[in-house]
Amino acid sequence: MNLSERIETFSQLQLFLDDFLNEKHLKNENLVAPLRYYTDFEATIQKAINQNAWFNRETILFSLQQWRDVLTSNSLEEWMKPCDLQNVESKKVGLVLAGNIPLVGFHDVLATLMVGHTALVKTSSNDNELIRYLTKVLCHFNADFSEKIQFIERLENFDAVIATGSNNTARYFEYYFGKYPHIIRKNRTSVAILQGNETEEELKGLAFDILQYFGLGCRNVTKLFVPKDYDINLIFKAVYPYSDIANVNKYVNNYEYYKAIYLLNQEAFLDNNFLIIKENEGYQSPVGVLYYEYYDDIQELKNQIIQDEEQLQCVVSKGFIPNEIPFGETQKPALSQYADNVDTVAFLCDCPILKTRYRFIRQK
């Protein structure tokens, strides 16, 4: 199976997602796959929701929309264009996937298969159904992929590893996988730099960056840097359209827990009955809480962000640093925007990792 065949197969998956999202299966007309694949996918989505109380139909469909948008033949060709795959020897790559948001591990599966390797996939118990089903659809379009995808419970007989987890699990990953070529990802989060001249639309986009997926992803903004005398009420106004989030039990339990802790400890915070905004120098705020910090000197803030870049996935801003993310775009990454800003495809092609990092601070 060559690269063109792999691109064609994933393009077929893109058409399947487009059919599904446009509900063409409800009319059973001009479908790229048999009708049962669509009805079974509906059941799979419900299984995923039952499996993980943080998942709901809205967030799953949003994730599917993002994959539908990037799995085009043009996008896949552009993504693979810099890669010299002629001399890449097929390997078995172990993939230990996260499960904090729907299909968060699918990028690793996609990259591994596109380069031509075999993916040994250990899914998270929090996101087990969706990835398995999409690979089933993929194998329907090209049976050769069935030999390239293996779902496993225990990782063994592999040549390289890509593992995603917390800072704690990363230590275990380093111990077990350190002697193999590897990418080991730790906790990261995202921040936004406000300069006081943001438009209402940009602040609405920021609200999306904060609360989409309930703030569980590494691309969610959990910390704001704001100039002195910034009106925090502008943030409350921007997030107000998301007030229905208070009806989600898992989210509201977190919100109420931290509100009780802060009240008990007599800590100052601002509150709008579904989001706490608290002044704090940390980066990773709990679910239901958004940190903010005032800054005086823009250059000092740039230096701080550069110094702490290993903790950050995205910096959302307007004209602040190179490779910043526009407001409202954190959850819509391109194929070449990698987790932990490490080029997964370069790693899979045996390129030296340290020479292929995608730095959002420094332009190479």
Side-chain angles (χ1 to χ4, degrees):
M1 184 169 34
N2 59 34
L3 178 59
S4 296
E5 291 170 325
R6 296 194 286 270
I7 290 174
E8 173 61 24
T9 306
F10 276 103
S11 298
Q12 289 291 104
L13 180 62
Q14 189 264 351
L15 293 175
F16 170 82
L17 292 176
D18 191 64
D19 282 353
F20 183 83
L21 292 167
N22 288 313
E23 299 185 337
K24 290 183 180 180
H25 57 293
L26 300 181
K27 300 178 183 179
N28 192 17
E29 57 183 26
N30 300 321
L31 301 176
V32 296
L35 179 61
R36 69 179 185 276
Y37 281 90
Y38 299 87
T39 55
D40 287 351
F41 196 29
E42 288 282 8
T44 299
I45 289 173
Q46 189 56 53
K47 286 181 183 177
I49 294 170
N50 295 339
Q51 183 183 70
N52 187 339
W54 283 111
F55 288 8
N56 60 29
R57 187 172 179 82
E58 179 184 8
T59 54
I60 290 174
L61 290 182
F62 177 81
S63 178
L64 294 176
Q65 287 167 6
Q66 304 319 301
W67 282 112
R68 184 269 312 276
D69 292 346
V70 299
L71 287 178
T72 64
S73 58
N74 287 340
S75 294
L76 293 168
E77 287 169 3
E78 286 297 315
W79 185 34
M80 290 289 111
K81 188 177 290 185
C83 307
D84 180 8
L85 302 181
Q86 296 297 319
N87 298 316
V88 174
E89 179 185 351
S90 181
K91 297 179 180 178
K92 292 183 177 181
V93 181
L95 305 177
V96 182
L97 307 184
N100 49 319
I101 65 176
L103 291 168
V104 67
F106 189 67
H107 190 280
D108 286 340
V109 177
L110 170 66
T112 301
L113 296 176
M114 284 294 293
V115 171
H117 297 313
T118 296
L120 309 179
V121 185
K122 181 170 175 45
T123 59
S124 166
S125 60
N126 291 325
D127 188 17
N128 183 42
E129 299 289 341
L130 297 172
I131 287 180
R132 284 178 181 267
Y133 196 80
L134 288 189
T135 58
K136 177 182 177 180
V137 177
L138 193 71
C139 292
H140 163 74
F141 292 126
N142 188 334
D144 289 346
F145 269 118
S146 61
E147 299 178 359
K148 288 290 188 177
I149 307 167
Q150 300 175 27
F151 288 94
I152 59 173
E153 293 301 321
R154 181 180 178 84
L155 197 56
E156 54 190 8
N157 299 322
F158 54 88
D159 300 304
V161 178
I162 301 174
T164 304
S166 66
N167 290 344
N168 288 331
T169 57
R171 290 198 292 268
Y172 293 101
F173 291 156
E174 289 281 2
Y175 176 79
Y176 287 111
F177 305 138
K179 65 181 180 180
Y180 299 94
H182 62 267
I183 294 176
I184 294 176
R185 304 193 186 107
K186 303 177 182 178
N187 286 343
R188 288 202 181 208
T189 192
S190 298
V191 300
I193 314 298
L194 303 182
Q195 300 180 63
N197 59 352
E198 291 76 23
T199 67
E200 184 175 338
E201 284 301 310
E202 286 169 336
L203 292 180
K204 286 181 180 178
L206 174 62
F208 172 85
D209 296 331
I210 295 167
L211 292 172
Q212 178 65 13
Y213 300 123
F214 310 107
L216 291 169
C218 67
R219 301 183 70 88
N220 282 105
V221 170
T222 57
K223 168 74 173 280
L224 307 179
F225 288 95
V226 299
K228 287 290 187 181
D229 302 322
Y230 186 83
D231 184 5
I232 297 296
N233 285 320
L234 293 173
I235 306 302
F236 279 134
K237 180 181 178 181
V239 300
Y240 181 75
Y242 292 84
S243 59
D244 286 348
I245 202 171
N247 297 322
V248 178
N249 287 335
K250 292 279 286 185
Y251 178 88
V252 78
N253 287 344
N254 277 268
Y255 159 79
E256 290 179 345
Y257 172 80
Y258 285 101
K259 183 174 181 177
I261 291 294
Y262 296 150
L263 288 171
L264 192 64
N265 293 336
Q266 298 183 339
E267 297 181 49
F269 64 90
L270 302 170
D271 177 28
N272 69 348
N273 294 320
F274 67 88
L275 179 67
I276 293 167
I277 301 182
K278 189 177 189 299
E279 189 171 2
N280 192 295
E281 293 184 356
Y283 283 124
Q284 294 196 346
S285 61
V287 172
V289 181
L290 174 67
Y291 288 160
Y292 73 97
E293 182 178 343
Y294 292 110
Y295 67 87
D296 290 311
D297 188 302
I298 196 76
Q299 188 57 51
E300 287 184 5
L301 179 57
K302 288 182 180 180
N303 293 339
Q304 177 182 338
I305 296 297
I306 292 171
Q307 179 180 333
D308 296 338
E309 67 174 337
E310 295 298 327
Q311 301 179 53
L312 303 176
Q313 181 64 43
C314 303
V315 174
V316 179
S317 56
K318 182 172 63 174
F320 177 69
I321 55 170
N323 299 322
E324 64 195 2
I325 305 297
F327 292 95
E329 297 296 318
T330 60
Q331 302 299 341
K332 305 172 185 178
L335 291 171
S336 57
Q337 291 179 301
Y338 298 99
D340 281 21
N341 303 308
V342 175
D343 190 324
T344 312
V345 171
F347 167 78
L348 293 167
C349 293
D350 295 323
C351 294
I353 285 297
L354 294 178
K355 293 183 180 179
T356 56
R357 286 183 183 273
Y358 174 85
R359 301 282 188 175
F360 60 79
I361 303 299
R362 305 184 186 96
Q363 290 179 315
K364 295 292 186 182

